[in-house]
Coordinates of all heavy atoms in Angstrom, one line a residue:
M29 N -6.3 13.6 10.7 CA -5.0 13.5 10.1 C -4.9 12.1 9.5 O -5.3 11.1 10.1 CB -3.9 13.7 11.1 CG -2.5 13.9 10.5 SD -1.2 14.2 11.7 CE -1.8 15.2 12.9
G30 N -4.4 11.9 8.3 CA -4.2 10.6 7.7 C -3.0 9.9 8.2 O -2.3 10.4 9.0
S31 N -2.9 8.6 7.7 CA -1.7 7.9 8.2 C -1.3 6.9 7.0 O -2.1 6.6 6.1 CB -2.1 7.0 9.4 OG -3.1 6.1 9.1
T32 N -0.1 6.5 7.1 CA 0.5 5.6 6.2 C 0.6 4.3 6.9 O 1.3 4.2 8.0 CB 1.8 6.0 5.6 OG1 1.6 7.3 5.0 CG2 2.4 5.0 4.6
K33 N 0.1 3.2 6.4 CA 0.2 1.9 7.1 C 0.9 0.9 6.1 O 0.6 0.9 4.9 CB -1.2 1.4 7.4 CG -1.9 2.2 8.4 CD -3.3 1.6 8.8 CE -4.0 2.5 9.8 NZ -5.2 2.0 10.2
I34 N 1.7 0.1 6.7 CA 2.4 -0.9 6.0 C 1.9 -2.2 6.6 O 2.4 -2.6 7.7 CB 3.9 -0.8 6.0 CG1 4.4 0.6 5.5 CG2 4.6 -1.9 5.3 CD1 5.8 0.9 5.7
P35 N 1.1 -3.0 5.9 CA 0.5 -4.2 6.4 C 1.6 -5.3 6.4 O 2.4 -5.4 5.5 CB -0.6 -4.6 5.5 CG -0.3 -3.9 4.2 CD 0.5 -2.7 4.6
I36 N 1.6 -6.1 7.5 CA 2.5 -7.2 7.6 C 1.6 -8.5 7.5 O 0.8 -8.7 8.5 CB 3.3 -7.2 8.9 CG1 4.1 -5.9 9.0 CG2 4.3 -8.4 9.0 CD1 5.1 -5.6 8.0
T37 N 1.8 -9.3 6.5 CA 1.0 -10.5 6.4 C 1.5 -11.6 7.4 O 2.7 -11.8 7.5 CB 1.1 -11.1 5.0 OG1 0.7 -10.1 4.1 CG2 0.3 -12.3 4.8
G38 N 0.6 -12.2 8.1 CA 1.0 -13.2 9.1 C 1.4 -12.7 10.5 O 1.8 -13.5 11.3
G39 N 1.2 -11.4 10.7 CA 1.6 -10.8 12.0 C 0.8 -11.4 13.1 O 1.3 -11.7 14.2
R40 N -0.5 -11.6 12.9 CA -1.3 -12.2 14.0 C -0.9 -13.6 14.4 O -0.7 -13.9 15.6 CB -2.8 -12.2 13.6 CG -3.7 -12.7 14.7 CD -5.2 -12.6 14.3 NE -5.5 -11.2 14.2 CZ -6.5 -10.7 13.4 NH1 -7.3 -11.6 12.7 NH2 -6.8 -9.5 13.4
D41 N -0.6 -14.4 13.4 CA -0.1 -15.8 13.6 C 1.3 -15.7 14.3 O 1.5 -16.5 15.2 CB 0.0 -16.6 12.3 CG -1.3 -16.8 11.7 OD1 -2.3 -16.9 12.4 OD2 -1.3 -17.0 10.4
L42 N 2.1 -14.8 13.9 CA 3.4 -14.7 14.5 C 3.3 -14.3 16.0 O 3.9 -14.9 16.9 CB 4.3 -13.6 13.8 CG 5.6 -13.2 14.5 CD1 6.5 -14.4 14.5 CD2 6.2 -12.0 13.8
R43 N 2.4 -13.4 16.3 CA 2.2 -13.0 17.7 C 1.7 -14.1 18.5 O 2.1 -14.4 19.7 CB 1.3 -11.7 17.8 CG 2.0 -10.5 17.4 CD 1.2 -9.2 17.7 NE -0.1 -9.2 17.1 CZ -0.3 -8.8 15.8 NH1 0.7 -8.4 15.0 NH2 -1.6 -8.9 15.3
R44 N 0.7 -14.9 18.0 CA 0.1 -16.0 18.7 C 1.2 -17.1 19.0 O 1.3 -17.6 20.1 CB -1.0 -16.6 17.9 CG -1.7 -17.8 18.6 CD -2.8 -18.5 17.8 NE -2.2 -19.1 16.7 CZ -2.5 -18.8 15.4 NH1 -3.4 -18.0 15.1 NH2 -1.9 -19.5 14.4
N45 N 2.0 -17.4 18.0 CA 3.1 -18.4 18.1 C 4.1 -17.9 19.2 O 4.6 -18.7 20.0 CB 3.8 -18.7 16.8 CG 2.8 -19.4 15.9 OD1 1.9 -20.1 16.3 ND2 3.1 -19.3 14.6
L46 N 4.5 -16.6 19.1 CA 5.4 -16.1 20.1 C 4.8 -16.1 21.5 O 5.6 -16.3 22.5 CB 5.9 -14.7 19.7 CG 6.8 -14.6 18.5 CD1 7.0 -13.1 18.2 CD2 8.1 -15.3 18.8
K47 N 3.5 -15.8 21.6 CA 2.9 -15.8 22.9 C 3.0 -17.2 23.5 O 3.1 -17.4 24.8 CB 1.4 -15.4 22.8 CG 0.8 -15.1 24.1 CD -0.5 -14.4 24.0 CE -1.1 -14.0 25.3 NZ -2.3 -13.3 25.2
E48 N 2.9 -18.3 22.7 CA 3.0 -19.6 23.2 C 4.4 -19.9 23.8 O 4.6 -20.7 24.7 CB 2.7 -20.6 22.1 CG 1.3 -20.7 21.7 CD 1.0 -21.6 20.5 OE1 1.9 -22.2 20.0 OE2 -0.1 -21.6 20.0
L49 N 5.4 -19.1 23.2 CA 6.8 -19.3 23.8 C 7.0 -18.5 25.1 O 7.9 -18.8 25.8 CB 7.8 -18.7 22.7 CG 7.9 -19.5 21.4 CD1 8.8 -18.7 20.5 CD2 8.4 -20.9 21.7
G50 N 6.1 -17.6 25.3 CA 6.2 -16.8 26.6 C 6.1 -15.3 26.4 O 6.3 -14.8 25.3
D51 N 5.9 -14.6 27.5 CA 5.7 -13.1 27.4 C 7.0 -12.5 26.9 O 6.9 -11.4 26.3 CB 5.4 -12.6 28.8 CG 3.9 -12.9 29.1 OD1 3.1 -13.2 28.2 OD2 3.6 -12.9 30.3
E52 N 8.2 -13.0 27.2 CA 9.4 -12.4 26.8 C 9.5 -12.3 25.3 O 9.9 -11.3 24.7 CB 10.6 -13.2 27.3 CG 12.0 -12.6 27.0 CD 12.2 -11.3 27.8 OE1 11.6 -11.2 28.9 OE2 13.0 -10.5 27.4
A53 N 9.0 -13.3 24.5 CA 9.1 -13.3 23.1 C 8.2 -12.2 22.5 O 8.5 -11.5 21.6 CB 8.7 -14.6 22.5
V54 N 7.0 -12.0 23.1 CA 6.0 -11.0 22.7 C 6.6 -9.6 23.0 O 6.5 -8.7 22.1 CB 4.7 -11.2 23.3 CG1 3.7 -10.1 23.0 CG2 4.0 -12.5 22.9
N55 N 7.3 -9.5 24.1 CA 7.8 -8.2 24.4 C 9.0 -7.8 23.5 O 9.2 -6.6 23.2 CB 8.4 -8.2 25.9 CG 7.2 -8.2 26.9 OD1 6.1 -7.7 26.6 ND2 7.5 -8.7 28.1
D56 N 9.6 -8.8 22.9 CA 10.6 -8.5 21.9 C 10.0 -7.8 20.7 O 10.7 -7.0 20.0 CB 11.3 -9.8 21.5 CG 12.3 -10.3 22.5 OD1 12.7 -9.5 23.4 OD2 12.7 -11.5 22.4
L57 N 8.8 -8.1 20.3 CA 8.1 -7.5 19.2 C 8.0 -5.9 19.4 O 8.2 -5.2 18.5 CB 6.7 -8.0 19.0 CG 6.7 -9.4 18.3 CD1 5.2 -9.9 18.2 CD2 7.3 -9.4 16.9
K58 N 7.8 -5.5 20.7 CA 7.7 -4.1 21.0 C 9.1 -3.5 20.7 O 9.2 -2.4 20.2 CB 7.3 -3.9 22.4 CG 7.2 -2.4 22.8 CD 6.6 -2.3 24.2 CE 6.5 -0.8 24.6 NZ 6.0 -0.6 25.9
R59 N 10.1 -4.2 21.1 CA 11.5 -3.7 21.0 C 11.8 -3.5 19.5 O 12.4 -2.6 19.0 CB 12.5 -4.6 21.7 CG 13.9 -4.1 21.6 CD 14.9 -5.1 22.2 NE 14.7 -6.5 21.7 CZ 15.2 -6.9 20.5 NH1 15.8 -6.1 19.7 NH2 15.0 -8.2 20.1
V60 N 11.4 -4.6 18.7 CA 11.7 -4.5 17.2 C 10.9 -3.4 16.6 O 11.5 -2.7 15.7 CB 11.3 -5.9 16.6 CG1 11.3 -5.8 15.1 CG2 12.3 -7.0 17.1
N61 N 9.7 -3.2 17.0 CA 8.9 -2.1 16.4 C 9.5 -0.8 16.8 O 9.5 0.2 16.0 CB 7.4 -2.2 16.9 CG 6.7 -3.3 16.1 OD1 7.0 -3.7 15.0 ND2 5.6 -3.8 16.7
L62 N 10.0 -0.6 18.0 CA 10.6 0.6 18.4 C 11.9 0.9 17.6 O 12.1 2.0 17.3 CB 10.9 0.6 19.9 CG 11.4 1.9 20.5 CD1 10.3 3.0 20.3 CD2 11.6 1.7 22.0
E63 N 12.6 -0.1 17.3 CA 13.8 0.1 16.5 C 13.4 0.6 15.1 O 14.1 1.5 14.6 CB 14.6 -1.3 16.4 CG 15.3 -1.7 17.6 CD 16.0 -3.0 17.6 OE1 16.0 -3.6 16.5 OE2 16.4 -3.5 18.6
G64 N 12.4 0.1 14.5 CA 11.9 0.5 13.2 C 11.4 2.0 13.3 O 11.7 2.8 12.4
V65 N 10.7 2.3 14.4 CA 10.3 3.7 14.6 C 11.4 4.6 14.7 O 11.4 5.7 14.1 CB 9.4 3.8 15.9 CG1 9.2 5.2 16.4 CG2 8.0 3.1 15.7
E66 N 12.5 4.2 15.4 CA 13.7 5.1 15.5 C 14.3 5.4 14.2 O 14.8 6.6 14.0 CB 14.7 4.5 16.5 CG 14.2 4.5 18.0 CD 15.0 3.7 18.9 OE1 15.9 3.0 18.5 OE2 14.7 3.8 20.1
I67 N 14.3 4.5 13.3 CA 14.9 4.7 11.9 C 14.1 5.7 11.2 O 14.6 6.7 10.6 CB 15.0 3.4 11.2 CG1 16.0 2.4 11.8 CG2 15.3 3.6 9.7 CD1 16.0 1.0 11.3
V68 N 12.7 5.5 11.2 CA 11.9 6.4 10.5 C 11.8 7.8 11.2 O 11.8 8.8 10.5 CB 10.4 5.8 10.4 CG1 9.5 6.8 9.7 CG2 10.5 4.5 9.6
L69 N 11.9 7.8 12.5 CA 11.8 9.1 13.3 C 13.0 9.9 12.9 O 12.9 11.2 12.8 CB 11.8 8.8 14.7 CG 11.6 10.0 15.7 CD1 10.4 10.7 15.4 CD2 11.7 9.5 17.1
E70 N 14.2 9.3 12.8 CA 15.4 10.1 12.4 C 15.2 10.8 11.0 O 15.5 12.0 10.9 CB 16.6 9.1 12.3 CG 17.9 9.8 12.0 CD 19.1 8.9 12.0 OE1 19.0 7.8 12.7 OE2 20.1 9.1 11.3
E71 N 14.6 10.1 10.1 CA 14.4 10.7 8.8 C 13.3 11.8 8.9 O 13.4 12.8 8.2 CB 14.0 9.6 7.8 CG 13.8 10.1 6.4 CD 15.1 10.7 5.7 OE1 16.2 10.3 6.1 OE2 14.9 11.5 4.8
A72 N 12.2 11.5 9.6 CA 11.2 12.5 9.8 C 11.7 13.8 10.4 O 11.3 14.9 10.0 CB 10.1 11.9 10.7
L73 N 12.5 13.7 11.4 CA 13.1 14.9 12.0 C 14.0 15.6 11.1 O 14.1 16.9 11.1 CB 13.9 14.5 13.3 CG 13.0 14.1 14.5 CD1 13.9 13.5 15.6 CD2 12.2 15.2 15.0
A74 N 14.6 15.0 10.2 CA 15.5 15.6 9.2 C 14.7 16.4 8.1 O 15.1 17.4 7.5 CB 16.4 14.6 8.5
R75 N 13.4 15.9 7.9 CA 12.6 16.5 6.9 C 11.5 17.5 7.4 O 11.0 18.2 6.5 CB 11.8 15.4 6.1 CG 12.7 14.5 5.3 CD 11.9 13.5 4.6 NE 12.8 12.6 3.8 CZ 12.4 12.1 2.7 NH1 11.2 12.3 2.2 NH2 13.3 11.3 2.0
V76 N 11.3 17.6 8.7 CA 10.2 18.5 9.2 C 10.7 19.9 8.9 O 11.8 20.3 9.2 CB 9.9 18.2 10.6 CG1 11.1 18.6 11.5 CG2 8.7 19.0 11.1
P77 N 9.8 20.7 8.3 CA 10.1 22.1 8.1 C 10.2 22.9 9.5 O 9.5 22.6 10.4 CB 8.9 22.7 7.3 CG 7.8 21.7 7.4 CD 8.4 20.4 7.8
V78 N 11.2 23.8 9.5 CA 11.5 24.5 10.8 C 11.4 26.0 10.6 O 12.2 26.5 9.8 CB 12.9 24.0 11.4 CG1 13.2 24.8 12.6 CG2 12.9 22.6 11.6
R79 N 10.6 26.6 11.4 CA 10.6 28.1 11.5 C 11.0 28.4 12.9 O 12.0 29.0 13.1 CB 9.2 28.7 11.1 CG 9.0 28.7 9.6 CD 7.7 29.5 9.3 NE 7.5 29.5 7.9 CZ 6.4 30.0 7.3 NH1 5.5 30.6 8.1 NH2 6.2 29.9 6.0
S80 N 10.1 28.0 13.8 CA 10.4 28.3 15.2 C 11.0 27.1 15.9 O 11.6 27.2 17.0 CB 9.2 28.8 15.9 OG 8.3 27.7 16.0
G81 N 10.8 25.9 15.4 CA 11.2 24.7 16.0 C 10.1 24.1 16.9 O 10.3 23.0 17.4
D82 N 9.0 24.7 17.0 CA 7.9 24.2 17.9 C 7.4 22.9 17.3 O 7.1 22.0 18.1 CB 6.8 25.2 18.0 CG 7.1 26.4 18.8 OD1 8.2 26.4 19.5 OD2 6.4 27.4 18.8
L83 N 7.1 22.8 16.0 CA 6.6 21.6 15.4 C 7.6 20.5 15.5 O 7.2 19.4 15.9 CB 6.3 21.9 13.9 CG 5.8 20.6 13.1 CD1 4.5 20.1 13.8 CD2 5.5 21.0 11.7
K84 N 8.8 20.7 15.2 CA 9.8 19.7 15.3 C 9.9 19.1 16.7 O 10.2 17.9 16.9 CB 11.2 20.2 14.9 CG 12.3 19.1 14.7 CD 13.5 19.7 14.1 CE 14.5 18.6 13.8 NZ 15.7 19.1 13.1
A85 N 9.8 19.9 17.7 CA 9.8 19.5 19.1 C 8.7 18.5 19.5 O 8.8 17.9 20.5 CB 9.8 20.7 20.0
T86 N 7.6 18.5 18.7 CA 6.5 17.6 19.0 C 6.6 16.3 18.3 O 5.7 15.4 18.6 CB 5.2 18.3 18.7 OG1 5.0 18.4 17.2 CG2 5.0 19.6 19.3
V87 N 7.5 16.1 17.4 CA 7.6 14.8 16.7 C 8.1 13.7 17.6 O 9.1 13.9 18.3 CB 8.5 14.9 15.5 CG1 8.6 13.6 14.7 CG2 8.0 16.0 14.5
R88 N 7.4 12.6 17.7 CA 7.7 11.6 18.7 C 7.3 10.2 18.2 O 6.4 10.1 17.3 CB 7.1 11.9 20.1 CG 5.6 11.8 20.0 CD 4.9 12.9 20.8 NE 3.5 12.9 20.8 CZ 2.7 13.6 20.0 NH1 3.3 14.4 19.1 NH2 1.4 13.5 20.1
G89 N 7.9 9.2 18.7 CA 7.5 7.9 18.3 C 7.2 7.0 19.4 O 7.6 7.3 20.6
S90 N 6.4 5.9 19.1 CA 6.1 5.0 20.2 C 5.9 3.6 19.5 O 5.8 3.5 18.3 CB 4.8 5.4 20.9 OG 3.7 5.4 20.0
A91 N 5.9 2.6 20.3 CA 5.7 1.2 19.7 C 4.9 0.3 20.7 O 5.0 0.5 21.9 CB 7.1 0.6 19.4
T92 N 4.2 -0.6 20.1 CA 3.6 -1.7 20.9 C 4.0 -3.0 20.2 O 4.8 -3.0 19.3 CB 2.0 -1.5 20.9 OG1 1.6 -1.8 19.5 CG2 1.6 -0.2 21.4
K93 N 3.5 -4.1 20.7 CA 3.8 -5.4 20.1 C 3.2 -5.5 18.7 O 3.6 -6.4 18.0 CB 3.4 -6.5 21.0 CG 1.9 -6.6 21.2 CD 1.6 -7.7 22.2 CE 0.1 -7.8 22.4 NZ -0.3 -8.8 23.4
T94 N 2.2 -4.7 18.4 CA 1.5 -4.8 17.1 C 1.9 -3.7 16.1 O 1.6 -3.9 14.9 CB 0.0 -4.8 17.2 OG1 -0.4 -3.6 17.9 CG2 -0.4 -6.0 18.1
R95 N 2.5 -2.6 16.5 CA 2.7 -1.5 15.6 C 3.7 -0.5 16.2 O 3.9 -0.4 17.4 CB 1.4 -0.8 15.2 CG 0.8 0.0 16.3 CD -0.4 0.8 15.9 NE -1.3 0.0 15.1 CZ -2.5 -0.4 15.5 NH1 -2.9 -0.2 16.7 NH2 -3.2 -1.2 14.7
G96 N 4.3 0.3 15.2 CA 5.1 1.4 15.6 C 4.4 2.7 15.0 O 3.8 2.6 13.9
T97 N 4.4 3.8 15.8 CA 3.7 5.0 15.4 C 4.6 6.2 15.6 O 5.3 6.3 16.6 CB 2.4 5.1 16.2 OG1 1.6 4.0 16.1 CG2 1.6 6.3 15.8
I98 N 4.5 7.1 14.6 CA 5.2 8.4 14.8 C 4.1 9.5 14.7 O 3.2 9.5 13.8 CB 6.2 8.6 13.7 CG1 7.3 7.6 13.8 CG2 6.8 10.1 13.7 CD1 8.4 7.7 12.8
R99 N 4.1 10.4 15.6 CA 3.1 11.5 15.7 C 3.8 12.8 15.8 O 4.9 12.9 16.2 CB 2.2 11.3 16.9 CG 1.3 10.1 16.9 CD 0.4 10.0 18.1 NE -0.5 9.0 18.0 CZ -0.3 7.7 18.5 NH1 0.8 7.4 19.0 NH2 -1.3 6.8 18.3
A100 N 3.0 13.8 15.4 CA 3.5 15.2 15.5 C 2.4 16.1 15.9 O 1.2 15.9 15.5 CB 4.2 15.7 14.2
G101 N 2.7 17.1 16.7 CA 1.7 18.1 17.0 C 1.0 17.8 18.4 O 1.0 16.6 18.8
F102 N 0.5 18.8 19.0 CA -0.3 18.7 20.2 C -1.4 19.7 20.0 O -1.5 20.4 19.0 CB 0.5 19.1 21.4 CG 1.6 18.1 21.8 CD1 2.9 18.3 21.7 CD2 1.2 16.8 22.3 CE1 3.9 17.4 22.0 CE2 2.1 15.9 22.7 CZ 3.5 16.2 22.6
K103 N -2.2 19.9 21.0 CA -3.3 20.8 20.9 C -2.8 22.2 20.7 O -3.4 23.0 19.9 CB -4.1 20.8 22.2 CG -5.4 21.6 22.2 CD -6.2 21.4 23.4 CE -7.5 22.2 23.3 NZ -8.4 21.9 24.5
K104 N -1.6 22.6 21.3 CA -1.0 23.9 21.1 C -0.3 24.0 19.7 O 0.0 25.1 19.3 CB 0.0 24.2 22.2 CG -0.6 24.4 23.5 CD 0.4 24.7 24.6 CE -0.3 24.9 25.9 NZ 0.7 25.3 27.0
I105 N -0.1 22.9 19.0 CA 0.5 22.9 17.7 C -0.4 22.2 16.7 O -0.2 21.1 16.2 CB 1.9 22.2 17.7 CG1 2.8 22.6 18.9 CG2 2.6 22.3 16.4 CD1 3.3 24.0 18.7
P106 N -1.6 22.8 16.4 CA -2.6 22.1 15.6 C -2.3 22.1 14.1 O -3.0 21.4 13.4 CB -3.9 23.0 15.9 CG -3.4 24.3 16.1 CD -2.1 24.1 16.9
Y107 N -1.2 22.8 13.7 CA -0.9 22.8 12.3 C 0.0 21.7 11.8 O 0.4 21.7 10.6 CB -0.3 24.2 12.0 CG 0.9 24.6 12.9 CD1 2.2 24.1 12.6 CD2 0.7 25.4 14.0 CE1 3.2 24.4 13.4 CE2 1.7 25.7 14.8 CZ 3.0 25.3 14.5 OH 4.0 25.6 15.3
A108 N 0.2 20.7 12.6 CA 1.1 19.6 12.2 C 0.5 18.9 11.0 O 1.2 18.6 10.0 CB 1.3 18.6 13.4
G109 N -0.8 18.6 11.0 CA -1.4 17.9 9.9 C -1.4 18.6 8.6 O -0.9 18.1 7.6
P110 N -1.8 19.9 8.6 CA -1.8 20.7 7.4 C -0.3 20.9 6.9 O -0.1 20.9 5.6 CB -2.4 22.0 7.8 CG -3.3 21.7 8.9 CD -2.6 20.6 9.6
I111 N 0.6 21.0 7.7 CA 2.0 21.1 7.3 C 2.4 19.9 6.5 O 3.1 19.9 5.5 CB 3.0 21.5 8.4 CG1 2.7 22.8 9.0 CG2 4.4 21.3 8.0 CD1 2.9 24.0 8.1
H112 N 2.1 18.7 7.1 CA 2.5 17.5 6.5 C 1.6 17.1 5.3 O 2.2 16.7 4.2 CB 2.4 16.3 7.5 CG 2.8 15.0 7.0 ND1 4.2 14.7 6.7 CD2 2.2 13.9 6.7 CE1 4.3 13.5 6.3 NE2 3.1 13.0 6.2
F113 N 0.3 17.2 5.4 CA -0.6 16.7 4.3 C -1.1 17.8 3.4 O -1.6 17.5 2.4 CB -1.8 16.0 5.0 CG -1.4 14.8 5.7 CD1 -1.4 14.8 7.1 CD2 -1.0 13.6 5.1 CE1 -1.1 13.7 7.8 CE2 -0.6 12.5 5.8 CZ -0.7 12.5 7.2
G114 N -0.9 19.1 3.8 CA -1.3 20.2 2.9 C -2.6 20.8 3.4 O -3.4 20.1 4.1
W115 N -2.9 22.0 3.1 CA -4.1 22.6 3.5 C -5.2 22.2 2.6 O -6.1 22.4 2.2 CB -3.9 24.2 3.4 CG -3.0 24.6 4.4 CD1 -1.6 24.9 4.2 CD2 -3.2 24.9 5.8 NE1 -1.0 25.3 5.4 CE2 -2.0 25.3 6.4 CE3 -4.3 24.9 6.6 CZ2 -1.9 25.7 7.7 CZ3 -4.2 25.2 7.9 CH2 -3.0 25.6 8.5

């Protein structure tokens, strides 16, 4: 499955500088990334095609201090990629 990435210039320097301030500052990056994920997740859930609702139920987001990610599908729902990217 492919992905869309939005590069942030200077992210590594930002994380290094925040780490010098302490762990609390670095943990704030995870919170900020999660807030971004929640915005995109809301739109993704509005756009996911629904027949049975099984695919929509697998759409989920997560965040770390370096990135936010939205995923869909599980082993039991292998058609998430083809639905999104096409057959």
Side-chain angles (χ1 to χ4, degrees):
M29 194 180 321
S31 65
T32 301
K33 295 182 180 183
I34 301 172
I36 306 295
T37 304
R40 182 175 293 156
D41 293 333
L42 173 65
R43 287 188 302 276
R44 183 183 64 240
N45 292 336
L46 287 173
K47 191 170 187 177
E48 290 174 6
L49 293 174
D51 288 337
E52 185 69 27
V54 174
N55 288 336
D56 285 345
L57 286 176
K58 182 176 180 179
R59 182 185 50 79
V60 168
N61 284 336
L62 188 57
E63 289 175 8
V65 164
E66 289 170 353
I67 293 168
V68 176
L69 186 60
E70 184 178 332
E71 183 65 24
L73 289 170
R75 292 181 179 215
V76 66
V78 177
R79 284 191 182 174
S80 68
D82 290 345
L83 176 59
K84 188 172 186 174
T86 69
V87 179
R88 65 222 181 263
S90 63
T92 66
K93 65 184 178 184
T94 59
R95 69 176 46 107
T97 305
I98 296 177
R99 292 184 174 89
F102 289 110
K103 189 172 183 177
K104 292 182 179 182
I105 311 290
Y107 50 84
I111 294 295
H112 182 71
F113 298 105
W115 294 95

